[in-house]
Amino acid sequence: MDPRRLQFLLELSRQGSMRAVADELGHTTSTVSQQLAQLTREAGTALYEPDGRRVRLTPAGRRLAEHAVTVLAALDAARADLDPHAEPAGTVRVGGFATAIRRSLVPTLARLAREHPAVRLRVLEHEPPEALAALAADAVDLALVYDYDLAPAALDPTVDRVPLWQAPWGLGVPARAARGVRGATAPELLRRFADHEWIVNSRHVADEDVVRTIAAVAGVEPVVGHRADSLELVQDLVVAGLGVGLLPLDQPPRPGVAVLALRRPGVLLRAHAVTRRGRDSWAPLRLVRALLADDGAG
């Protein structure tokens, strides 16, 4: 049913005449009569009947008018929700990797609570491939993903990407093995630890791609022995002597782990906020993405 016709019926229940409805809504009496006749055909039952010089709703008409109140109110709420100039309101679903959630999303949550309490976030922890798949399936509205400068991610052309921040990564090794190798270039480090197994991400191949890129320059073949999702677990495995792996340089390692800077080439992790193209017309999503970008730039 056309909601405009429901508006005519609702006004008829209030005004009691076609002419009064026409005056109230700014239409001709003929237009009101035609629209209500069409609504009657759509409903499949009589909605109003003559009552002297006026008309009154039938029981079916009164019931439909009651529904019209709910339907028209919901449409008004939807218009307000989608109005790009209105105060943002709604729930934004965000899927992202743990570091970005802690570094970018948690501060944004606090800022939203202070400045835009009508906008809420639903947070789902995902590695980039999972977050992008959820975005494509419309299971999240915004994906927080990362890649490395040495292994840039090729994203689908149907999405938009906003850079957030970047952080240097290094080689995590047992602290006892770091003596005498600080200051070495990245290829030199890979040759130095060529007999160690590698610990890589179990849910994403970006760090493995970086390792293989540097290894190709160093002329060595890395052996992947372990896969772990948690950076804490990677460090536990390093301490246990089970291998080496990439770790962030801007975070203090746990005791027993040393993170060696990678130079020539260096390794930068780059965080991005990704949305489906055209979705930023929704005010809450546009706001959240802007806040994330502002925090990343700061």
Side-chain angles (χ1 to χ4, degrees):
M1 297 178 181
D2 189 325
R4 294 173 299 175
R5 297 184 185 123
L6 292 177
Q7 181 69 62
F8 289 143
L9 181 69
L10 183 58
E11 285 301 324
L12 185 62
S13 72
R14 296 166 175 168
Q15 305 292 342
S17 78
M18 302 283 187
R19 181 182 295 276
V21 172
D23 292 342
E24 178 68 22
L25 299 181
H27 293 281
T28 65
T29 303
S30 174
T31 297
V32 172
S33 177
Q34 292 172 3
Q35 293 299 311
L36 288 172
Q38 179 61 34
L39 182 63
T40 297
R41 287 191 289 272
E42 292 172 348
T45 186
L47 300 177
Y48 53 92
E49 59 191 7
D51 182 24
R53 294 184 177 182
R54 298 169 62 83
V55 294
R56 63 184 177 192
L57 299 189
T58 64
R62 289 195 299 272
R63 183 62 177 151
L64 185 56
E66 292 172 0
H67 284 298
V69 173
T70 302
V71 170
L72 294 172
L75 287 173
D76 286 342
R79 292 188 187 99
D81 188 38
L82 298 177
D83 183 356
H85 304 294
E87 175 63 23
T91 299
V92 180
R93 304 163 299 168
V94 182
F97 64 106
T99 300
I101 291 173
R102 286 192 295 266
R103 177 169 174 169
S104 299
L105 206 58
V106 171
T108 297
L109 276 166
R111 188 171 173 185
L112 285 173
R114 292 192 310 269
E115 302 174 8
H116 304 279
V119 177
R120 300 180 181 276
L121 295 183
R122 182 177 300 162
V123 180
L124 302 95
E125 192 271 326
H126 287 311
E127 280 294 303
E130 301 160 351
L132 292 173
L135 187 69
D138 205 23
V140 298
D141 305 301
L142 185 147
L144 296 175
V145 304
Y146 69 86
D147 65 1
Y148 294 96
D149 58 342
L150 293 184
L155 296 183
D156 192 280
T158 62
V159 302
D160 289 323
R161 169 170 49 186
V162 174
L164 297 182
W165 45 266
Q166 57 187 27
W169 276 51
L171 179 61
V173 304
R176 62 185 179 275
R179 300 183 183 90
V181 294
R182 294 185 184 276
T185 66
E188 288 169 347
L189 285 175
L190 261 70
R191 285 193 289 267
R192 166 65 177 79
F193 291 96
D195 59 342
H196 288 63
E197 292 186 333
W198 279 85
I199 308 160
V200 299
N201 195 304
S202 60
R203 293 158 58 194
H204 193 20
V205 298
D207 60 336
E208 184 175 348
D209 290 342
V210 167
V211 170
R212 295 193 181 281
T213 297
I214 300 175
V217 175
V220 299
E221 179 64 30
V223 176
V224 174
H226 314 280
R227 298 182 183 274
D229 174 45
S230 161
L231 291 179
E232 290 77 12
L233 179 55
V234 171
Q235 296 189 65
D236 289 341
L237 296 177
V238 170
V239 171
L242 295 180
V244 298
L246 295 180
L247 289 171
L249 274 167
D250 61 350
Q251 299 176 25
R254 58 157 292 179
V257 176
V259 183
L260 305 173
L262 294 170
R263 302 183 303 111
R264 300 198 304 271
V267 175
L268 282 177
L269 179 142
R270 309 179 300 184
H272 311 273
V274 180
T275 56
R276 295 175 69 178
R277 183 156 296 170
R279 294 295 180 90
D280 62 353
S281 60
W282 185 42
L285 178 59
R286 185 173 65 251
L287 171 66
V288 170
R289 192 173 72 171
L291 292 179
L292 289 169
D294 287 347
D295 290 343

